[in-house]
């Protein structure tokens, strides 16, 4: 009977990790810090299940799809949801007025909710 409970527990852990879904950007603040330079504070929500499945980064993306900056997340945030992390010194060409923020998951890659933000001038 103990083996049954152990196998069931392991299955539930794997299932939780597999079905955590994509990482969502749910809020953001952006501040101009210099000429064509911005600081971002981004809030991500994801049902991190541990080292095998967690939100592992977020990006600042230009309208043409090019990545202007990436904030790497070096560990899962299992007990801290949603969580906010910052990225300073992102250089953005002066002809760009807005960017999209997207989060990346170690299992599902991209695909969660994105957020478009206007850049302060």
């Amino acid at each position: 009977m103990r083996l049954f409970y152990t196998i069931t527990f392991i299955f539930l852990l794997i299932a939780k990790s597999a079905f955590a879904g994509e990482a969502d950007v749910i809020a953001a603040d952006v501040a101009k810090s210099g000429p064509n330079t911005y600081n971002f504070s981004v809030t991500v929500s994801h049902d991190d299940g541990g080292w095998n499945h967690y939100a592992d980064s977020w990006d600042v993306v230009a309208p043409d799809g090019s990545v202007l900056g990436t904030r790497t997340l070096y560990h899962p945030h299992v007990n801290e949801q949603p969580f906010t992390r910052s990225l300073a010194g992102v250089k953005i060409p002066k002809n760009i007025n807005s960017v999209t923020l997207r989060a990346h998951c170690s299992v599902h890659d991209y695909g969660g909710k994105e957020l478009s933000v206007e850049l302060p001038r």
Side-chain angles (χ1 to χ4, degrees), residues 52-73:
N52 292 326
H53 190 181
Y54 69 101
D56 59 6
S57 66
W58 56 261
D59 299 325
V60 179
V61 183
D64 69 0
S66 61
V67 176
L68 302 169
T70 298
R71 173 60 153 93
T72 301
L73 305 168

Side-chain angles (χ1 to χ4, degrees), residues 22 35 100:
E22 294 93 358
T100 299

